[in-house]
Amino acid sequence: MTDRTATYYRIATQIEPFNKKGVELTEGTTFASDLEWDSLTVMDFVAAIEDEFDIIITMNMQAEIETVGQLVATVEKLTA
């Protein structure tokens, strides 16, 4: 298993409690359209990801992250 795959699965585990619609996750899954998250859900989720990986995702970074794959790439960059 590659580091990216491990990161993806850790993120998918964090998404699970927020995935109220049971959407099947892929790297292309969008937080706003597919998962239909509101801003409060996004903030709670970002906090969970920051805790899980011991990182800080700035507001500017958050604004650019639309898909699960983009989040994986960002986490990989911040933990490298």
Side-chain angles (χ1 to χ4, degrees):
M1 183 182 318
T2 66
D3 287 346
R4 182 175 173 86
T5 302
T7 300
Y8 174 85
Y9 282 111
R10 286 175 69 187
I11 289 171
T13 300
Q14 292 298 319
I15 290 173
E16 202 170 304
F18 297 97
N19 188 359
K20 304 295 187 206
K21 301 188 111 209
V23 173
E24 186 175 336
L25 295 180
T26 67
E27 292 237 356
T29 301
T30 62
F31 298 105
S33 297
D34 296 329
L35 295 172
E36 298 181 7
W37 288 359
D38 59 21
S39 58
L40 182 57
T41 302
V42 170
M43 295 303 286
D44 288 343
F45 174 69
V46 168
I49 291 295
E50 289 176 332
D51 289 346
E52 172 72 17
F53 291 95
D54 195 25
I55 57 174
I56 293 179
I57 301 173
T58 66
M59 293 299 277
N60 288 341
M61 289 173 158
Q62 289 178 39
E64 294 177 8
I65 299 170
E66 296 178 4
T67 68
V68 172
Q70 289 173 328
L71 177 59
V72 171
T74 299
V75 170
E76 288 278 293
K77 187 181 347 174
L78 292 172
T79 57

